[in-house]
Amino acid sequence: MQQAHSRRRALAQAGALALAFGAPTLRAQQPRGALPAPGSRLSVPALTLLDGSRFAPAQAEGKLLVLYWWASWCPFCALQSPHMDQLWRTQSARGLAFLGLSIDKTAAPATAYLRQKGYAFPSAWVSPEVERALPRPPGLPVTVVLGRDGRVLMAEAGQLFPEDVADISRFL
């Protein structure tokens, strides 16, 4: 069973990585194409969210922060996003902060997609300015979990399965 799960994950991740060949990395000192290393720090800038509110880094201080790069056109994201929304809804009261990062070409399709699906997780559009401050790792979707101390606990490129998303709550 575990072997089948690992094989499914590897196939999904390989497909997602193929979508983002040559994408920028999170930090200049990391090798091209690398996810942030566990234990490394990641700075998250203040951002305007798609609903017009603001995300300030102080909102995530002392909380577990999930960063989730997604797109309205991404088939892997379409499978993972309902589970990310459920994680946000069920765990935010326990100290989970969440920041979705849409890589759609403009904010309009991302906003429409969230509204159409009824997703509540906070999301920002990755404008060129945001991309410079917080470039995404290769692949899509990408999930990075920062601990209460701001250090990377988990970094995954490619679709997470429902049990993988639910397992993020173990860090709380």
Side-chain angles (χ1 to χ4, degrees):
M1 179 70 156
Q2 181 66 19
Q3 190 176 25
H5 173 72
S6 296
R7 194 172 29 245
R8 278 192 337 229
R9 177 184 280 189
L11 287 171
Q13 288 176 344
L17 287 171
L19 288 174
F21 179 77
T25 61
L26 278 174
R27 295 177 162 271
Q29 70 267 26
Q30 292 185 19
R32 185 162 182 79
L35 288 165
S40 63
R41 289 197 178 273
L42 183 62
S43 297
V44 180
L47 300 169
T48 300
L49 300 177
L50 291 169
D51 67 6
S53 64
R54 293 280 294 164
F55 172 85
Q59 292 173 256
E61 285 180 12
K63 295 182 177 183
L64 188 74
L65 176 60
V66 175
L67 300 174
Y68 173 55
W69 281 265
W70 63 277
S72 64
W73 46 262
C74 168
F76 301 110
C77 303
L79 295 171
Q80 183 173 324
S81 290
H83 305 291
M84 297 304 272
D85 190 63
Q86 181 179 7
L87 177 73
W88 163 245
R89 290 175 190 264
T90 61
Q91 302 301 323
S92 60
R94 291 186 57 211
L96 178 88
F98 194 102
L99 181 58
L101 296 158
S102 168
I103 67 157
D104 282 278
K105 290 191 183 286
T106 65
T111 302
Y113 183 81
L114 291 174
R115 188 175 18 250
Q116 175 192 19
K117 297 293 184 180
Y119 295 148
F121 59 81
S123 274
W125 175 61
V126 179
S127 66
E129 296 78 31
V130 172
E131 177 70 20
R132 282 191 289 281
L134 188 65
R136 77 174 170 95
L140 200 59
V142 173
T143 306
V144 175
V145 179
L146 303 179
R148 295 176 189 273
D149 63 356
R151 293 186 185 276
V152 175
L153 297 174
M154 176 185 138
E156 295 281 341
Q159 178 191 346
L160 296 180
F161 295 96
E163 60 271 21
D164 301 321
V165 174
D167 198 39
I168 291 171
S169 65
R170 78 181 188 275
F171 296 117
L172 287 170

